[in-house]
Amino acid sequence: MKSIGYIQLFSLLFVLIAEHAYSQNVTIDDTYTAQQLVENVLINNPCATVSNVTISGDPFSGAQQSYGYFSNGGGTFPFANGVILCTARASRAAGPNTNLIDEGQNAWQGDIDLEQALNITNTYNATTLEFDFTPQNSNFRFNYIFASEEYQGTAPCRYSDGFAFLLKEVGSSAAYQNLAIIPGTTTPVLVTSVHPAIPGSCAAANESYFGGYNNSGAPINFNGQTVVMTAQATVIPGRNYHIKLVIADHENVRYDSAIFLGGGSFNLGIDLGPDRLVATNNPVCEGNPITLNATQSGSNSYQWFLNGAAMSGETNPTLTISNSVSGTYSVTITTSTGSCSSSGSCILEFVPKPVLVASTLLGCDDNLDGSARFNLTKINALVTNNNSSYGTVQYFESIIDAQQYALNLAIPSPNNYESIPKTIYAAVQTNFGCIAVVPVVLQVSGAMVPQNLSYASCDLDGTPDGFFGFTLAAIDSLLLNGLPAGLVVNYYASMADAQAEQNQLSAVFTNTIIDEQTIYAKITNGPDCYGISSILIQVNRNQPANFEDETLYLCPLESLNLRVDPTFNAYNWSTGAATSQISITEANDYTVTVSDVNGCLATKKFVVVASSAPTITSINVDHFQTNGGTVTVLVSGSGNYQYSLNGSNFQISPIFNDVAPNEYTFIAYDTHGCGQDTETVYVLDYPRFFTPNGDGFNDFWQIDQLKFVSKAQLRIFDRFGKLLKEFNEASTGWDGTYLGLPLPADDYWFTVQFEKLKNISGHMSLKR
């Protein structure tokens, strides 16, 4: 029993859910007659006389029609009820969207009037609702939605069923007027003319009128639909018109479509124009009177209403609203017989105009010609009272142009406008089109400001080239002395830039013309020009001749005089002295800064380097060299030295190569004049062989240069180290004997021992 009860409860819940879901969908009743669909559903208005109502559609489905009455069970479909015309059985259009409507027969014919209106051929499965009506008012309109199964895949790029709302006066030979068009165009509403972008196939077309694709829960059984659209026309009251509402398949009978006509939307009332709403960007500007016109032909009575309440005394065909009260304005028109009453309404929302401030702007007559150059944009914030939401301020010479906001007649360069004193007009326009205008009085300043000033500065940037960065604010005090407080100074390179307030110089300005340049200062008081003055800025340079850094050398126990030209105005030495020259006794860096008649400074540096005479500490001689000896001299001292062996031919190196055997006087001297040192140098050599054969040539072996040496002792050895002979510098030498006996030809070794010089040794050959 519990299980059965649960099943029964679930079944009941399912039924309730299903019924609720069903109640949210559009349902179709195809039993209505044509007269009922027109008079009771579509029009339902006594102000129109309807006749000759006919309807045609599916001839092959028996009692099931391709037209009918639809109602909305409270779902999302925009219409509560209305009339449906379909290219299939109308009942197939009932929601939800769970199956494809794809039916019909080629024998079910199309419509020639539709083909002519859309300039197409090969239509099939046409459903048509036609009737005549005689309006008693000048406007009529009705609402509709176009839905189609062709809203799928890439079909919107190529295929669309056709429909049209065709209107013309009865008996007229003129062509039908199609009312089913994209607003503001003559383009028919079709799948191909209203759809979003189809990636890879085609761009969007009038996408704002596309209502969307439908999922399986949609209240109608079509893949997609438009938004609610309005068909409308102007007619002449009392005349008889014929309207034909027709839809048909195009090219084949596949993928059906339908028109949903809003119930009661066939409005033959009064058209007072569109609603004027903030949401639709067309509200009415406060202070701008607006007139609503409900005039209809014939003898009628009128009553105007505001938000449903009758407006006292407002019984004319027109209503002029001057008090800018927002609300719903409506009118009821009753014929003289009282047999017909029609109405119309529109919503008016009023938005405030910008509140502007009348202003005065002073310009400077720099050339005394009675005119000035104005930068009008400087008073933008003043005119708008700092309200940036108003948009761009435009300036006009004519108040009419300003009131019309005729941008092509606005002052073209408001930041550089030359004018005599006069009144111009500032205007702004909001995004809602609300225009506000105030006068702007242009006047010429009569203030007196200093003229032809000069301002000089020494070239203090370390490069005295005639170019220097001036801090322009330092000139302000010259310009503003004696003028009222609160004035502002800006600087420009030319008078034109100062007048137009463009290309303002930076706070630190380096002149672009060497030594001196004229710049211009514009003195302003808020947006007003107080005056323009020229200033000659000058760069003074103190560039003495022979003022480069100098290096001098100081010898021990001496002094140096450091001096500069005595014609300067002031001197400041690093020692504290204030004369043109000083005497120093210590090596160091010394500077002197001098000042000229302009107070400009120049600095010279003296680098004083200690120097001294050289002291020869040792002389090294490599004797007995094949090409002469090598002499290396070592000295001590702090100078810069040069060296010579013969008193001339000085060199910076203390090393002398290939020196011929001889006696020399070596000289080392300080190039800075601090003195010299000398010493005798001996370069020795010896015979490499001798021939003691008594012929008078080379009979003795001796070192001739020993005669330059006060004391020297020579010893001769054989190859085994045996001492063979010993003699001094005064001896004639060795004759090649030992103990009176001649020695054989051979190599023999010798040593020389000096008293003062370094000992040397070598060997020679005895030849027989």
Side-chain angles (χ1 to χ4, degrees):
M1 293 295 293
K2 185 175 181 180
S3 174
I4 295 175
Y6 177 79
I7 294 174
Q8 290 173 337
L9 178 61
F10 178 80
S11 300
L12 177 60
L13 181 62
F14 178 81
V15 169
L16 291 175
I17 292 175
E19 287 181 351
H20 176 73
Y22 178 78
S23 68
Q24 302 299 308
N25 296 323
V26 169
T27 59
I28 308 296
D29 183 346
D30 61 0
T31 64
Y32 276 55
T33 66
Q35 202 77 20
Q36 289 174 321
L37 291 176
V38 172
E39 292 184 345
N40 301 337
V41 179
L42 185 59
I43 297 179
N44 195 22
N45 190 310
C47 288
T49 302
V50 177
S51 61
N52 298 325
V53 180
T54 62
I55 195 164
S56 64
D58 183 1
F60 298 102
S61 300
Q64 297 190 59
Q65 305 297 334
S66 58
Y67 53 84
Y69 167 79
F70 73 85
S71 62
N72 179 5
T76 59
F77 197 67
F79 295 144
N81 56 62
V83 176
I84 179 173
L85 306 179
C86 190
T87 62
R89 287 173 294 162
S91 59
R92 294 291 307 278
N97 181 31
T98 55
N99 56 83
L100 177 67
I101 308 176
D102 183 26
E103 62 184 32
Q105 301 183 36
N106 290 338
W108 178 5
Q109 295 297 306
D111 186 86
I112 188 63
D113 291 331
L114 175 64
E115 292 179 357
Q116 290 177 351
L118 301 183
N119 194 26
I120 60 176
T121 58
N122 299 327
T123 61
Y124 303 92
N125 299 353
T127 297
T128 303
L129 175 61
E130 302 180 67
F131 56 91
D132 297 337
F133 68 99
T134 304
Q136 297 187 26
N137 299 310
S138 58
N139 299 282
F140 88 94
R141 61 185 180 273
F142 58 92
N143 299 329
Y144 68 95
I145 291 174
F146 172 56
S148 179
E149 297 285 34
E150 289 176 331
Y151 277 120
Q152 61 174 300
T154 61
C157 301
R158 296 173 290 173
Y159 305 113
S160 178
D161 291 336
F163 77 99
F165 304 146
L166 305 176
L167 176 71
K168 69 177 178 178
E169 192 173 344
V170 173
S172 172
S173 60
Y176 276 114
Q177 175 188 358
N178 182 18
L179 309 183
I181 55 176
I182 304 294
T185 74
T186 59
T187 303
V189 176
L190 301 168
V191 171
T192 52
S193 65
V194 179
H195 63 76
I198 310 299
S201 294
C202 60
N206 301 298
E207 188 174 5
S208 61
Y209 298 106
F210 179 60
Y213 293 108
N214 292 327
N215 59 27
S216 60
I220 60 173
N221 191 27
F222 286 98
N223 289 329
Q225 64 197 52
T226 67
V227 297
V228 175
M229 305 190 72
T230 300
Q232 56 187 342
T234 300
V235 292
I236 300 174
R239 293 191 180 182
N240 200 21
Y241 289 86
H242 181 74
I243 190 166
K244 182 177 184 178
L245 313 175
V246 56
I247 186 169
D249 285 327
H250 181 216
E251 295 186 351
N252 56 56
V253 299
R254 306 296 306 276
Y255 295 94
D256 293 299
S257 303
I259 306 166
F260 292 86
L261 304 168
S265 69
F266 202 91
N267 186 353
L268 296 170
I270 307 305
D271 184 7
L272 297 180
D275 292 339
R276 303 287 296 274
L277 309 175
V278 172
T280 54
N281 292 316
N282 66 335
V284 186
C285 301
E286 286 184 356
N288 288 359
I290 182 171
T291 298
L292 302 179
N293 190 351
T295 302
Q296 300 294 318
S297 61
S299 178
N300 305 304
S301 62
Y302 300 84
Q303 177 60 59
W304 291 91
F305 299 84
L306 173 58
N307 297 327
M311 301 176 69
S312 176
E314 298 296 348
T315 58
N316 294 318
T318 61
L319 173 68
T320 299
I321 304 161
S322 302
N323 58 4
S324 302
V325 175
S326 298
T328 299
Y329 289 83
S330 59
V331 63
T332 297
I333 305 173
T334 305
T335 60
S336 58
T337 62
S339 61
C340 173
S341 178
S342 60
S343 64
S345 68
C346 69
I347 301 173
L348 301 182
E349 291 181 351
F350 289 86
V351 293
K353 285 185 177 180
V355 179
L356 303 185
V357 179
S359 304
T360 299
L361 182 63
L362 291 179
C364 293
D365 185 1
D366 56 271
N367 58 3
L368 302 179
D369 65 350
S371 67
R373 196 174 298 273
F374 297 88
N375 183 355
L376 304 178
T377 62
K378 293 191 70 174
I379 61 171
N380 285 354
L382 183 62
V383 166
T384 61
N385 199 23
N386 291 307
N387 191 330
S388 59
S389 66
Y390 290 162
T392 304
V393 181
Q394 300 289 345
Y395 295 89
F396 300 85
E397 294 178 330
S398 162
I399 189 171
I400 295 176
D401 295 340
Q403 291 170 338
Q404 295 176 349
Y405 206 69
L407 293 181
N408 60 318
L409 299 176
I411 293 173
S413 299
N415 62 336
N416 191 13
Y417 177 60
E418 187 168 359
S419 174
I420 61 174
K422 66 181 181 182
T423 298
I424 61 173
Y425 302 90
V428 296
Q429 183 180 50
T430 68
N431 57 331
F432 295 134
C434 299
I435 300 171
V437 177
V438 291
V440 174
V441 178
L442 303 182
Q443 297 179 348
V444 174
S445 172
M448 299 298 295
V449 297
Q451 294 295 326
N452 302 318
L453 296 175
S454 62
Y455 182 80
S457 174
C458 298
D459 198 341
L460 301 175
D461 56 13
T463 305
D465 54 3
F467 297 96
F468 178 70
F470 289 84
T471 300
L472 298 180
I475 309 175
D476 290 359
S477 59
L478 295 177
L479 293 163
L480 300 178
N481 185 31
L483 299 182
L487 300 179
V488 176
V489 183
N490 291 308
Y491 296 88
Y492 304 87
S494 68
M495 176 62 79
D497 282 351
Q499 292 169 332
E501 298 186 17
Q502 61 187 13
N503 304 318
Q504 180 180 333
L505 299 180
S506 59
V508 177
F509 170 66
T510 300
N511 52 303
T512 58
I513 302 175
I514 192 169
D515 290 335
E516 62 181 30
Q517 181 176 353
T518 298
I519 62 174
Y520 299 85
K522 186 167 189 177
I523 305 172
T524 57
N525 183 14
D528 296 324
C529 178
Y530 194 85
I532 299 178
S533 179
S534 63
I535 304 101
L536 179 66
I537 56 174
Q538 298 171 305
V539 183
N540 295 322
R541 292 184 277 170
N542 187 2
Q543 292 181 281
N546 304 316
F547 226 65
E548 299 81 10
D549 290 352
E550 186 176 349
T551 300
L552 300 175
Y553 296 88
L554 179 65
C555 299
L557 304 179
E558 293 185 3
S559 63
L560 278 178
N561 283 334
L562 308 181
R563 61 172 60 85
V564 294
D565 196 312
T567 60
F568 295 105
N569 281 36
Y571 305 85
N572 182 17
W573 290 88
S574 55
T575 62
T579 57
S580 63
Q581 64 177 336
I582 60 173
S583 177
I584 56 97
T585 58
E586 293 182 1
N588 208 335
D589 290 348
Y590 298 87
T591 59
V592 59
T593 299
V594 299
S595 174
D596 65 7
V597 293
N598 295 314
C600 297
L601 305 180
T603 299
K604 179 179 177 68
K605 181 179 180 181
F606 294 91
V607 179
V608 178
V609 180
S611 192
S612 65
T615 298
I616 299 174
T617 56
S618 66
I619 299 177
N620 298 322
V621 181
D622 291 335
H623 301 281
F624 307 151
Q625 303 299 312
T626 302
N627 296 320
T630 298
V631 178
T632 302
V633 182
L634 300 179
V635 300
S636 63
S638 60
N640 185 27
Y641 303 131
Q642 290 191 6
Y643 310 92
S644 174
L645 283 175
N646 53 17
S648 60
N649 300 325
F650 282 88
Q651 65 182 45
I652 61 175
S653 173
I655 300 174
F656 296 83
N657 297 309
D658 303 329
V659 180
N662 210 332
E663 178 182 11
Y664 296 93
T665 299
F666 178 81
I667 300 174
Y669 87 98
D670 177 32
T671 59
H672 303 304
C674 290
Q676 66 180 30
D677 193 10
T678 63
E679 190 167 327
T680 300
V681 177
Y682 302 96
V683 179
L684 306 181
D685 200 4
Y686 65 93
R688 299 300 187 270
F689 66 90
F690 73 108
T691 57
N693 55 10
D695 61 358
F697 296 99
N698 296 322
D699 288 332
F700 294 90
W701 186 88
Q702 173 65 292
I703 300 176
D704 291 339
Q705 289 78 21
L706 290 180
K707 63 187 177 182
F708 302 129
V709 182
S710 59
K711 290 183 180 181
Q713 189 70 31
L714 280 81
R715 292 182 177 87
I716 308 297
F717 302 89
D718 64 12
R719 68 176 56 249
F720 302 108
K722 181 179 179 179
L723 178 63
L724 303 178
K725 178 71 175 179
E726 184 175 3
F727 55 95
N728 61 24
E729 74 278 1
S731 173
T732 58
W734 180 45
D735 60 2
T737 64
Y738 177 67
L739 299 178
L741 298 175
L743 293 173
D746 201 353
D747 284 344
Y748 294 88
W749 275 257
F750 68 89
T751 63
V752 182
Q753 184 174 355
F754 297 100
E755 184 180 55
K756 296 182 179 179
L757 302 178
K758 180 180 178 181
N759 295 340
I760 58 176
S761 62
H763 66 90
M764 78 296 192
S765 297
L766 187 155
K767 296 183 179 181
R768 294 293 181 183

